[in-house]
Amino acid sequence: MTVNPIEDNRFSLTTPLYYVNALPHIGSAYTTIAADAIARFQRLLGKPVMFVTGTDEHGQKIQRTAQSKGRDPKEYCDEVVAAFDGLWKKLNVRYDRFSRTTAERHEAIVRDFFQRVWDNGDIYLGQQQGYYCVGCEEFKDERELLENHHCPLHPNLEAEWRDEENYFFRLSKYQQTLEELYESQPDFIQPETRRNEVLSFVKQGLKDFSISRVDMDWGFPVPNDPNHTLYVWFDALLGYVTGLVDLEEEATLENAVKYWWPFNLHLIGKDILRFHAVYWPAMILSAGLPLPKQVFGHGFLTKDGHKISKSLGNTIDPGELVDRFGADAVRYYFMKEIEFGRDGDYNETRFVNIVNADLANDLGNLLNRTLKMAHKYCGGVVPEISVDDLGDDCPPKVLGTELPETVKSAYDGLEFHRAGDAILNLARSCNKYLDDRAPWTLYKHGEQAAVEEVLYVVLESVRLAAYLLSPVVPQLSTTIYQQLGFETDFDRIDLIPETASFEVHGRWGMLPSGQQTNRPSPVFQRIELEVN
């Protein structure tokens, strides 16, 4: 089997395959916005990108949820999947593949993968005894459970005692191999806090885990024993691989891994870290495939400092949030104001204040006031300026020259908040620069060359800010570019010409002189806080 290394220019990443026992929530939206921002940034670098998302649709929890609603499981899944896809469109998420574990193509991949692991001697039949949490779809050690055998992650569900014949995967065989992996590739699990959690778990000793269930028919049968149904790890996790198969090719493991595998990044919530950072790499090693480059487990979200839960009545509907405030505002707040990797909080007053201050005031108003002066003082044309003639004491030029490398470093490290701070710092510097230089006064004194220099500096800085913010706020960035006279859409894959590069387009001083600008209009409407 031929597998391409990831040393080349291509970049592939995934969100989790979201479980469809309920409609999408703010946590799944948070992960997917981040994945979309990463994918967009990699495209700005000129890389071919494969962004996979999708849904995990098998298992007892799904079967019971559908039954409780009097629905056929597949019909129920179809409805929830449509809700996920609809939300991603609302949030302006541009994925490349949507992988569903109920797809026929997926079963073919699962069978191929299972056979490779079986042939390697890593699957055996055994007896499973213990408490099983249907909510987690996982057996739990008693030490992990609360009083009366309730799961900490699903405190309203009592874990069920199970004593059944299952097929097992030999995870214990990979104890030393995984420890060596974590030691030799410290960036394999990020951030550092998540890595430490996994190291602590693995040091306790790895146990073989169950990969099948009996008396459950909502799922794929075990290839060599149809009395058993494959359990989530040998079904859901393989959905990532299925997402890589070209839609025009036969669904085989060999076709799936020949171009985009291995993934550069698995982006997940910290609650499913163990499965992706321990179980999944061991399965991949057993199948003889190269490992992904990184698993990143981000934090949880709270609302007004409290845990989000239905019982508290403080859930956040991401679709409603977009309807009220717009996709860019939602994307900006969660990427800019929450340090990715840590837990973060949503507060509506803070949300409105931050978005208004950054996008409407610091950036939007800066562009509008400068464009008005360009139309008034320069006939609506970008001034003919040679950037080389600008002094090194020009604050926006100094910041703008250093900014692309700073922002690239931040995006590479998934530090969206740091990228946003640096970009907005340029906008704030330009507002001060505009007030200090006062081009309206210079114009009155007949200093036309000085006026044009000031306006060029500010317009180019705004262009650069829009370009570097485009992975997070693509619609706003498109509007800014179009007001500057560019025919640009940051949702187009061919935005950057093949001969161009991030270093060129992200450089300060690329605004074309003589470009006709559009009449200014608000590029970002201020948000009004609703008072109950």
Side-chain angles (χ1 to χ4, degrees):
M1 180 180 296
T2 301
V3 180
N4 280 302
I6 56 174
E7 281 82 20
D8 61 20
N9 198 40
R10 63 193 74 155
F11 189 93
S12 57
L13 76 159
T14 78
T15 67
L17 298 188
Y18 299 109
Y19 212 40
V20 297
N21 63 304
L23 294 174
H25 52 75
I26 194 63
S28 47
Y30 179 54
T31 314
T32 311
I33 291 169
D36 186 63
I38 296 165
R40 288 174 181 273
F41 172 69
Q42 293 296 326
R43 293 187 187 107
L44 284 188
L45 294 177
K47 295 183 180 181
V49 173
M50 174 56 68
F51 170 16
V52 176
T53 188
T55 44
D56 172 13
E57 302 176 33
H58 285 140
Q60 195 164 59
K61 182 162 57 174
I62 301 300
Q63 189 174 32
R64 290 184 179 181
T65 301
Q67 289 173 346
S68 70
K69 298 177 181 295
R71 306 296 304 281
D72 171 79
K74 183 60 167 60
E75 291 178 355
Y76 166 76
C77 289
D78 288 344
E79 288 184 5
V80 179
V81 167
F84 273 95
D85 191 46
L87 178 60
W88 302 159
K89 286 182 172 61
K90 266 191 173 185
L91 284 165
N92 203 14
V93 169
R94 196 181 73 211
Y95 60 80
D96 296 294
R97 300 278 171 78
F98 195 103
S99 182
R100 297 185 61 178
T101 59
T102 51
E104 290 184 12
R105 292 166 63 83
H106 177 59
E107 184 173 10
I109 300 295
V110 169
R111 287 179 171 274
D112 277 2
F113 190 93
F114 181 94
Q115 191 62 49
R116 288 176 68 86
V117 177
W118 177 271
D119 292 344
N120 199 33
D122 287 339
I123 296 175
Y124 65 92
L125 190 63
Q127 196 73 16
Q128 176 77 64
Q129 287 185 329
Y131 287 97
Y132 182 76
C133 174
V134 175
C136 293
E137 294 282 14
E138 181 187 17
F139 279 94
K140 300 285 187 179
D141 290 337
E142 283 203 62
R143 63 186 177 183
E144 298 180 82
L145 298 173
L146 305 174
E147 188 177 357
N148 297 323
H149 303 113
H150 283 252
C151 172
L153 297 178
H154 300 90
N156 295 327
L157 291 178
E158 182 177 351
E160 303 172 4
W161 176 259
R162 300 284 178 88
D163 184 357
E164 60 186 40
E165 185 181 66
N166 289 166
Y167 282 91
F168 286 78
F169 173 74
R170 297 186 192 276
L171 179 63
S172 58
K173 172 181 172 180
Y174 293 90
Q175 172 92 31
Q176 182 177 345
T177 306
L178 289 174
E179 289 178 338
E180 292 172 353
L181 165 68
Y182 306 145
E183 178 67 25
S184 63
Q185 300 182 38
D187 289 340
F188 179 73
I189 304 169
Q190 287 295 309
E192 188 68 19
T193 52
R194 304 286 98 81
R195 180 174 184 271
N196 292 336
E197 291 172 15
V198 171
L199 291 176
S200 176
F201 172 76
V202 172
K203 285 179 181 178
Q204 297 176 33
L206 296 178
K207 299 179 181 178
D208 299 347
F209 60 84
S210 169
I211 65 168
S212 75
R213 291 289 176 272
V214 293
D215 300 326
M216 184 184 74
D217 57 7
W218 182 235
F220 299 139
V222 171
N224 57 358
D225 190 345
N227 293 320
H228 286 252
T229 300
L230 279 171
Y231 177 46
V232 291
W233 315 129
F234 266 72
D235 177 10
L237 291 172
L238 268 297
Y240 299 130
V241 184
T242 304
L244 298 180
V245 183
D246 190 287
L247 301 181
E248 297 179 355
E249 291 189 323
E250 181 184 0
T252 66
L253 185 58
E254 185 167 6
N255 284 338
V257 301
K258 71 180 183 181
Y259 186 82
W260 291 105
W261 183 272
F263 282 103
N264 294 77
L265 177 66
H266 279 298
L267 199 62
I268 58 168
K270 65 181 181 180
D271 55 325
I272 54 175
L273 178 67
R274 183 191 309 175
F275 312 127
H276 289 77
V278 182
Y279 293 13
W280 182 222
M283 291 165 55
I284 293 170
L285 289 168
S286 177
L289 297 174
L291 291 171
K293 184 176 180 181
Q294 185 175 92
V295 175
F296 192 101
H298 66 73
F300 288 158
L301 297 177
T302 57
K303 182 180 180 183
D304 301 325
H306 300 288
K307 179 181 177 182
I308 298 174
S309 71
K310 290 182 180 179
S311 59
L312 294 176
N314 67 342
T315 57
I316 303 171
D317 181 343
E320 181 184 349
L321 213 58
V322 174
D323 290 340
R324 291 176 59 197
F325 302 125
D328 275 350
V330 175
R331 292 170 64 104
Y332 183 79
Y333 178 83
F334 285 105
M335 293 296 97
K336 162 69 164 48
E337 285 304 303
I338 296 174
E339 183 175 344
F340 201 65
R342 295 179 178 270
D343 293 346
D345 187 66
Y346 172 80
N347 174 273
E348 186 164 302
T349 301
R350 183 164 170 253
F351 172 96
V352 170
N353 290 340
I354 288 293
V355 170
N356 280 342
D358 289 2
L359 301 186
N361 295 350
D362 289 340
L363 189 59
N365 187 53
L366 174 66
L367 174 63
N368 289 335
R369 65 193 290 222
T370 308
L371 280 178
K372 287 178 181 177
M373 286 186 279
H375 279 268
K376 184 175 181 180
Y377 306 146
C378 305
V381 175
V382 176
E384 296 279 354
I385 297 292
S386 172
V387 178
D388 295 335
D389 293 337
L390 297 175
D392 292 335
D393 58 346
C394 174
K397 178 184 176 182
V398 174
L399 288 174
T401 301
E402 300 171 349
L403 188 60
E405 187 56 41
T406 299
V407 171
K408 181 179 184 302
S409 171
Y411 276 128
D412 283 340
L414 309 191
E415 297 174 303
F416 306 105
H417 69 290
R418 185 162 69 90
D421 284 337
I423 296 166
L424 265 293
N425 187 43
L426 175 63
R428 296 179 186 116
S429 171
C430 283
N431 275 300
K432 183 178 185 303
Y433 174 76
L434 206 56
D435 291 338
D436 289 345
R437 294 298 307 276
W440 46 89
T441 301
L442 295 173
Y443 183 75
K444 289 179 180 177
H445 293 163
E447 300 182 45
Q448 183 65 22
V451 171
E452 293 178 358
E453 178 181 302
V454 172
L455 297 185
Y456 181 91
V457 166
V458 175
L459 291 176
E460 166 56 18
S461 297
V462 174
R463 181 208 66 81
L464 177 59
Y467 180 82
L468 298 177
L469 275 177
S470 64
V472 176
V473 287
Q475 293 170 329
L476 173 61
S477 295
T478 296
T479 301
I480 290 174
Y481 256 63
Q482 290 174 350
Q483 287 215 14
L484 291 172
F486 293 96
E487 293 183 3
T488 298
D489 185 344
F490 279 94
D491 279 330
R492 283 172 45 199
I493 294 176
D494 60 345
L495 166 68
I496 307 302
E498 292 182 5
T499 56
S501 68
F502 175 83
E503 285 71 20
V504 171
H505 283 262
R507 200 177 75 199
W508 197 89
M510 291 302 298
L511 192 67
S513 297
Q515 178 80 44
Q516 183 74 40
T517 66
N518 292 325
R519 285 283 176 182
S521 60
V523 297
F524 190 89
Q525 298 287 350
R526 286 183 57 83
I527 297 172
E528 297 300 326
L529 184 64
E530 293 185 4
V531 180
N532 294 327

